[in-house]
Amino acid sequence: MCRTSLTQFLIERQRAGKINADLRLLLETIARACKAISTRVNKGSLGGGHGSAGSENVQGEIQKNLDVMSNEILLEANEWGGNLAALVSEEMEDVKPTPTHYPRGEYLLLFDPLDGSSNIDVNISVGTIFSVLRCPKGVTVPDEKCFLQPGRDQVAAGFAVYGPTTQFVITVGDGAYGFTLDRESFTFVLTHEKINIPEDTAEFAINASNMRRWEAPVKRYIDECLAGKDGPRGKDFNMRWVASMVADVYRVLSRGGIFMYPRDSKNKDGRLRLMYEANPMAFIVEQAGGAATDGTTRILDIQPHKLHQRIAVVLGSKNEVERVSKYHA
Ligand code: AHG
Ligand code: MN
Ligand code: MN
């Protein structure tokens, strides 16, 4: 069987003029870090990854050991490659410019090192999400402002899911592609060519414990799904909620569906972070033929105003996302 590795895939993208050598190396570096994180996740308690790190991140969330380890793996992998000008992590308050003793590259990297932290200790899928932007021309020391670009300006985005298999999904703007980690060769192998999300679905994902706090359009949409065959939708719906965005979005990419973390009366701006959760996932989902909105605005068109900004997210099968947008209009 002829197998395409991530390395070959990226070299072909470079030959086709879609990416340059620096971006290719940066994406290789991120993938290598994800493999290292996958190994730590697999070790579980034996690798010291379980349990709380006893510290809080900038969002006031308790950090798990694996949050801290994954962040360190990504930092260490990315600081000396020469492709990056600066990076931003969910686990760090400020922008981290590339140390001055290494060459500074032309890209900016944002990541959620470990998505789905609440699932680490209970052996449910977790993952890593990343987004790549171009550093504005002429900037030598990038600051927060350099990062505040709308998601449509991303040059690449991707995520890894550490589940029963480790999956790596990537886009450089010409479709979304999925790779499976082959544990024997420790190589990502292309297994999901040009992912395509079905336009229609009968499966939704939302944390229903927030129902009493939802806004009316979201409540209406879910009520209609729950009414099933006898309701206005005329069909039964199924519900899933993993509580790891990586796993929920991976399912949507695999068989369609709608994923929602709307704003509510408690999470007034939404729960998920725009720059390293919503934007990269929206880019991938659109590249796979789906849609992503905050209810009223296409996620990729939102102008960010701060690094760790939160946002409402509705993404997945196009016709369902459009329906939710219509209910908001
Ligand atoms: P993180 O672990 O990086 O903080 O992100 C968790 C996110 C996301 O993965 C998931 O969809 C959501 O939080 C789960 O939220 P609930 O616990 O409210 O269900
Ligand atoms: Mn997350
Ligand atoms: Mn996280």
Side-chain angles (χ1 to χ4, degrees):
M1 188 179 67
C2 174
R3 307 198 321 169
T4 304
S5 66
L6 178 66
T7 299
Q8 186 182 343
F9 170 88
L10 291 173
I11 285 176
E12 282 165 7
R13 286 284 158 306
Q14 185 185 337
R15 285 192 187 132
K18 302 277 179 214
I19 56 174
N20 64 19
D22 277 344
L23 181 54
R24 173 170 65 81
L25 286 169
L26 172 59
L27 296 171
E28 286 264 19
T29 305
I30 296 164
R32 196 174 63 237
C34 288
K35 289 195 261 187
I37 297 170
S38 163
T39 301
R40 298 310 284 258
V41 171
N42 277 187
K43 285 190 172 147
S45 308
L46 303 176
H50 283 193
S52 162
S55 47
E56 269 186 13
N57 67 12
V58 51
Q59 0 245 344
E61 297 161 342
I62 301 289
Q63 291 178 306
K64 297 285 176 64
N65 284 321
L66 212 56
D67 287 318
V68 175
M69 285 174 178
S70 306
N71 192 49
E72 277 164 10
I73 288 171
L74 278 156
L75 290 183
E76 198 278 328
N78 278 294
E79 70 176 5
W80 48 267
N83 323 106
L84 269 193
L87 54 81
V88 158
S89 164
E90 181 196 356
E91 303 304 335
M92 302 187 308
E93 184 158 8
D94 300 316
V95 171
K96 189 176 188 311
T98 296
T100 46
H101 51 281
Y102 293 119
R104 268 200 189 146
E106 57 180 307
Y107 293 105
L108 303 174
L109 173 64
L110 302 99
F111 52 76
D112 174 356
L114 209 284
D115 176 66
S117 302
S118 73
N119 282 325
I120 297 170
D121 293 355
V122 292
N123 200 27
I124 294 174
S125 298
V126 291
T128 299
I129 312 173
F130 68 91
S131 160
V132 183
L133 295 166
R134 227 174 241 117
C135 187
K137 288 234 153 33
V139 171
T140 45
V141 186
D143 59 6
E144 171 166 1
K145 254 201 254 123
C146 299
F147 280 83
L148 301 181
Q149 306 178 32
R152 62 172 181 266
D153 290 345
Q154 292 171 102
V155 293
F159 69 96
V161 194
Y162 315 116
T165 57
T166 286
Q167 300 289 331
F168 190 75
V169 177
I170 193 171
T171 184
V172 294
D174 67 342
Y177 294 83
F179 297 79
T180 303
L181 181 61
D182 173 13
R183 294 247 163 227
E184 273 81 55
S185 60
F186 216 52
T187 312
F188 279 120
V189 180
L190 181 62
T191 45
H192 299 70
E193 186 108 24
K194 279 259 179 203
I195 298 171
N196 184 39
I197 303 175
E199 286 189 356
D200 291 298
T201 182
E203 194 164 68
F204 64 90
I206 194 162
N207 183 341
S209 70
N210 295 320
M211 191 176 286
R212 69 189 185 283
R213 305 192 188 101
W214 292 338
E215 294 175 343
V218 173
K219 181 99 179 36
R220 173 183 170 194
Y221 176 78
I222 298 296
D223 280 348
E224 290 181 0
C225 291
L226 293 174
K229 266 203 196 79
D230 309 325
R233 301 300 306 273
K235 63 177 182 180
D236 288 338
F237 278 75
N238 187 25
M239 192 191 86
R240 287 285 185 276
W241 185 249
V242 183
S244 287
M245 188 191 201
V246 285
D248 281 313
V249 172
Y250 190 80
R251 187 188 56 256
V252 168
L253 290 169
S254 305
R255 66 180 188 209
I258 182 165
F259 167 91
M260 308 170 78
Y261 212 121
R263 63 182 81 80
D264 59 42
S265 58
K266 186 174 156 214
N267 302 293
K268 292 211 162 53
D269 298 321
R271 157 100 160 82
L272 299 170
R273 275 56 55 108
L274 172 61
M275 308 274 316
Y276 41 80
E277 291 179 318
N279 270 343
M281 290 310 204
F283 190 16
I284 292 163
V285 163
E286 281 199 6
Q287 286 295 316
T293 175
D294 73 344
T296 51
T297 310
R298 177 187 177 224
I299 299 260
L300 296 183
D301 284 337
I302 293 171
Q303 175 61 50
H305 56 83
K306 59 177 187 189
L307 284 183
H308 300 285
Q309 180 176 342
R310 293 180 192 262
I311 194 84
V313 175
V314 178
L315 61 77
S317 292
K318 211 175 190 158
N319 291 339
E320 292 302 308
V321 175
E322 277 169 10
R323 179 180 286 270
V324 176
S325 298
K326 246 198 332 222
Y327 289 2
H328 277 84

